[in-house]
Amino acid sequence: HFVSNLSTIVVGLLSVIVHWIPFLKKYVGNSHQTKAIFGKQESLPYIEPLLTTVWETPIISAEIGHFLESNGYLLHIGPGKFEFGKDKYNHFNGLALLHQFRVEKGTVPYRSKFLQSDTFKANSVHRIVISEFGMLTLPDPCRNIFEYFISKYELPALTHSTTVNYVQYKSDDYISTETKFINKVDIETLEKTEKVYWSKFIAVNGATAHPHYDLDGIVYNMGNSYGLHSSCYNIIWVPPEKVDLGDTLHGAQVICSVASAESLKPYYHSFGMTENYIVFIEQPLKMNLWKIFTSKIQGKVFRRISWEPQYNTRFHVVNKHTEQLLPRVYYSKRFVTFHQINAFEDRGCVVIDLCYQNNGRNLEVYQLQNLREAGKGLDVYNSVAKSFPQRFMLPLHVSFLLLFLNASEEENFSLLSYSPTSAVRQADGKIWCENLYSENLKEEGGIVFPQINYGQFSGKIDCFFYGCGFQHLVADSLIKVDVGDLEVWREDGFYPSEPVFVLVLGTNEEDGGVIISVVITPKQNKSNFLLVLDAKNFEELGEEVPVQMPYGFHGTFINADPVHLTPADCVRLSEILRVRSQSGTAVTASSRMALQPHRVAGDFRWHGAGISRARCALRSRR
């Protein structure tokens, strides 16, 4: 829907001219070559077997002991098929392989299955025909000359393969990526049951794979809408219950839109949410439509996303209840974040924790040919910008603070006694946020894929988070961060997946649970295994489920047991419903039912023991 076919052809012809004229060619790409290097590594271990096509696995059983009090499904997803004939995907493009560990009474049956998406079915045995994230399919060489020429000017077909994350809407399970499609799946059989289009319900071109879940069952997400002259970021609201059994995204609404500040189309992977606000970060990582349209003509694999460091970063805040964008925009120096982890409100501020990179070129490194290198070929690791936890503070009542403090034209707001982060009002009236930076993770190669106790501490002040250390191009350790102290699990030659926090039922402690991770190895004489760690001290509680898995992305645990809301949850939910009632937001029947102290899992299965989403943060004790 970006442009007409005629304008696409014109853009393509211009790109050919640019390709021929060196003076103009420099304007097609980005000339910035900034690198961020921490913890230089040499002679990294060979990891190609972790990024190799595998077969589906029928059900196999293993014992893990009674370390998990909850019964449920540990689900992981990631690429599992990288080649069709001579055509190869890069790491982000491999077609989705679904992994299921069914945890029940000390046994953990495992199975895997390829998502039977339209893309999986369309790609023939000999070539890739559907474009994926970060790459573009080239014309079919078997066409005649005229068809071959015309095919260069066709808009690329978008993928239907969803490889990023499991999400839930109205208690149904979906596999999501960032396009306008999501695939509904049966988590017991791993069968795809339906393909659902966001664009059939709301005017967006796609939505993130990291929605947020309110205690009353309402789901929030964000999606882009592109136009010829402008783009918008849209806050999406999905109701908690179905009207009938056939409902999917029915009733979804765009409750607020934020206009893009630049002409380049925005890219973001997640967003933040407190009890009352949505926090969106507009970063200098952009969808480069020029490259999309010109790459096919030039016969080059392209990058759909470009790092544009000439732009700064902006924070936008939306009130969930009034559905209004706050008039003030907050600024920061340029950075990139993929996972905004936790956000909360304190002392008149929104505080947001996130994983921060000062360079947006990492996607260019994470190509399959780089990951399959050996020896010095893996030294490309040293050009990767490492990810570190950061905290930003956004004061909500700046005018009042200026009056109260009798401030001059410039004022530094340091409102959190437990955190040195601050915000500075400059003479032009703009608020610039100064981040709190933690250096104690440099030796671990930074941290990514972190998670928190999402069910109990999302939107609240918290102290702990868990994540993966990156002393390689893939994660090679698990880390618990308690303010400045670290607990680290590492075993040479083994590579853990994103940690999934599973709550021990009946506890209110933030780290009262276990961490589950699937640990894989390229060594032929070693086995992959399922690792269970005590979330408090990282003591190993169980392992040994031999599985065949390539390196993947996100995971979640879906509890099959009844869910009991704690008294604190009931108080919090009552407050949410009161605020919604006062603001005119609809209060649903399922929201009222959730106030029952022993609500059985069903509509609220997501609130069970650890349906945690990938999040990261720098926690500071109050």
Side-chain angles (χ1 to χ4, degrees), residues 255-256 276-278 317-326:
I255 63 171
C256 186
N276 297 298
Y277 298 98
I278 298 289
V317 181
V318 174
N319 187 307
K320 291 160 55 178
H321 310 301
T322 66
E323 302 177 357
Q324 297 295 312
L325 175 68
L326 301 192

Side-chain angles (χ1 to χ4, degrees), residues 30 55 150 304 328 355 448 467 508 533 551:
N30 191 322
W55 299 103
I150 292 299
R304 295 187 179 188
R328 185 171 299 280
C355 277
V448 295
N508 292 323
L533 299 174
Y551 191 75

Side-chain angles (χ1 to χ4, degrees), residues 427-453:
D428 60 3
K430 292 182 177 179
I431 302 295
W432 284 79
C433 301
E434 297 183 351
N435 59 295
L436 170 65
Y437 171 65
S438 175
E439 296 188 355
N440 62 348
L441 289 163
K442 279 188 177 182
E443 292 185 2
E444 302 302 327
I447 191 167
V448 295
F449 293 153
Q451 293 213 15
I452 64 171
N453 179 348

Side-chain angles (χ1 to χ4, degrees), residues 195-263:
K195 181 174 69 175
V196 178
Y197 294 74
W198 277 106
S199 53
K200 284 187 176 181
F201 302 95
I202 51 178
V204 296
N205 297 99
T208 80
H210 293 292
H212 278 289
Y213 306 86
D214 251 348
L215 192 59
D216 61 354
I218 289 173
V219 183
Y220 291 89
N221 207 336
M222 288 196 64
N224 287 337
S225 56
Y226 299 132
L228 289 176
H229 304 293
S230 64
S231 301
C232 286
Y233 321 101
N234 302 293
I235 311 297
I236 301 169
W237 178 94
V238 181
E241 57 188 9
K242 298 180 180 181
V243 175
D244 58 55
L245 292 177
D247 270 11
T248 55
L249 298 175
H250 297 74
Q253 301 175 25
V254 171
I255 63 171
C256 186
S257 296
V258 182
S260 174
E262 290 94 24
S263 58

Side-chain angles (χ1 to χ4, degrees), residues 24-261:
L24 295 177
K25 186 177 178 182
K26 66 181 180 179
Y27 293 105
V28 175
N30 191 322
S31 59
H32 298 275
Q33 299 293 331
T34 305
K35 293 182 179 180
I37 301 176
F38 295 101
K40 186 175 181 180
Q41 299 282 349
E42 295 180 353
S43 302
L44 289 170
Y46 178 63
I47 58 171
E48 180 178 2
L50 307 184
L51 302 144
T52 303
T53 295
V54 300
W55 299 103
E56 295 179 338
T57 302
I59 296 178
I60 59 173
S61 295
E63 298 288 333
I64 198 170
H66 293 273
F67 301 110
L68 291 175
E69 297 182 14
S70 301
N71 296 321
Y73 297 91
L74 175 66
L75 305 172
H76 271 269
I77 188 169
K81 187 172 179 61
F82 299 92
E83 296 93 5
F84 281 87
K86 294 182 179 180
D87 289 353
K88 294 182 180 180
Y89 288 115
N90 68 35
H91 176 54
F92 291 97
N93 303 144
L95 296 188
L97 183 63
L98 314 183
H99 309 272
Q100 176 207 80
F101 296 86
R102 183 166 185 168
V103 180
E104 187 174 16
K105 297 179 180 179
T107 63
V108 191
Y110 167 79
R111 73 195 308 177
S112 67
K113 188 174 182 63
F114 282 107
L115 177 66
Q116 297 298 305
S117 64
D118 293 352
T119 300
F120 187 90
K121 297 173 183 177
N123 287 339
S124 67
V125 176
H126 302 294
R127 67 186 301 269
I128 297 171
V129 298
I130 302 293
S131 295
E132 297 282 346
F133 181 94
M135 69 171 291
L136 185 69
T137 56
L138 297 178
D140 186 346
C142 296
R143 294 188 178 189
N144 62 43
I145 294 176
F146 178 74
E147 289 176 327
Y148 183 84
F149 177 78
I150 292 299
S151 68
K152 285 196 170 210
Y153 301 96
E154 295 173 347
L155 289 174
L158 293 176
T159 180
H160 297 197
S161 179
T162 46
T163 59
V164 177
N165 203 7
Y166 289 87
V167 299
Q168 286 191 341
Y169 297 103
K170 303 180 183 180
S171 297
D172 289 331
D173 299 286
Y174 295 86
I175 307 293
S176 179
T177 184
E178 296 173 339
T179 65
K180 61 183 179 181
F181 314 104
I182 55 177
N183 287 302
K184 187 177 179 180
V185 295
D186 182 332
I187 62 169
E188 292 190 14
T189 64
L190 299 184
E191 294 285 350
K192 171 193 164 186
T193 59
E194 186 177 357
K195 181 174 69 175
V196 178
Y197 294 74
W198 277 106
S199 53
K200 284 187 176 181
F201 302 95
I202 51 178
V204 296
N205 297 99
T208 80
H210 293 292
H212 278 289
Y213 306 86
D214 251 348
L215 192 59
D216 61 354
I218 289 173
V219 183
Y220 291 89
N221 207 336
M222 288 196 64
N224 287 337
S225 56
Y226 299 132
L228 289 176
H229 304 293
S230 64
S231 301
C232 286
Y233 321 101
N234 302 293
I235 311 297
I236 301 169
W237 178 94
V238 181
E241 57 188 9
K242 298 180 180 181
V243 175
D244 58 55
L245 292 177
D247 270 11
T248 55
L249 298 175
H250 297 74
Q253 301 175 25
V254 171
I255 63 171
C256 186
S257 296
V258 182
S260 174

Side-chain angles (χ1 to χ4, degrees), residues 240-299:
E241 57 188 9
K242 298 180 180 181
V243 175
D244 58 55
L245 292 177
D247 270 11
T248 55
L249 298 175
H250 297 74
Q253 301 175 25
V254 171
I255 63 171
C256 186
S257 296
V258 182
S260 174
E262 290 94 24
S263 58
L264 288 173
K265 312 307 177 187
Y267 175 79
Y268 54 93
H269 189 70
S270 63
F271 61 100
M273 188 175 84
T274 71
E275 290 192 14
N276 297 298
Y277 298 98
I278 298 289
V279 184
F280 167 64
I281 298 179
E282 187 176 7
Q283 58 189 5
L285 203 59
K286 307 295 182 180
M287 299 286 288
N288 196 319
L289 300 187
W290 174 263
K291 290 183 179 181
I292 291 176
F293 294 137
T294 61
S295 303
K296 205 170 185 182
I297 300 165
Q298 296 178 20

Side-chain angles (χ1 to χ4, degrees), residues 519-594:
V519 183
I520 58 178
T521 180
K523 297 180 178 180
Q524 298 299 317
N525 61 338
K526 299 290 185 179
S527 296
N528 303 334
F529 58 89
L530 187 66
L531 175 67
V532 181
L533 299 174
D534 187 315
K536 289 182 178 293
N537 55 24
F538 262 34
E539 176 186 351
E540 290 189 28
L541 302 178
E543 54 180 58
E544 282 307 321
V545 180
V547 295
Q548 185 181 19
M549 293 179 65
Y551 191 75
F553 296 137
H554 296 299
T556 190
F557 185 86
I558 296 181
N559 188 33
D561 291 327
V563 176
H564 296 246
L565 295 182
T566 66
D569 289 332
C570 293
V571 171
R572 184 182 177 197
L573 183 54
S574 296
E575 179 63 16
I576 291 173
L577 299 182
R578 183 188 65 79
V579 172
R580 289 230 168 101
S581 178
Q582 290 177 349
S583 64
T585 307
V587 179
T588 65
S590 62
S591 299
R592 296 189 185 95
M593 290 174 66

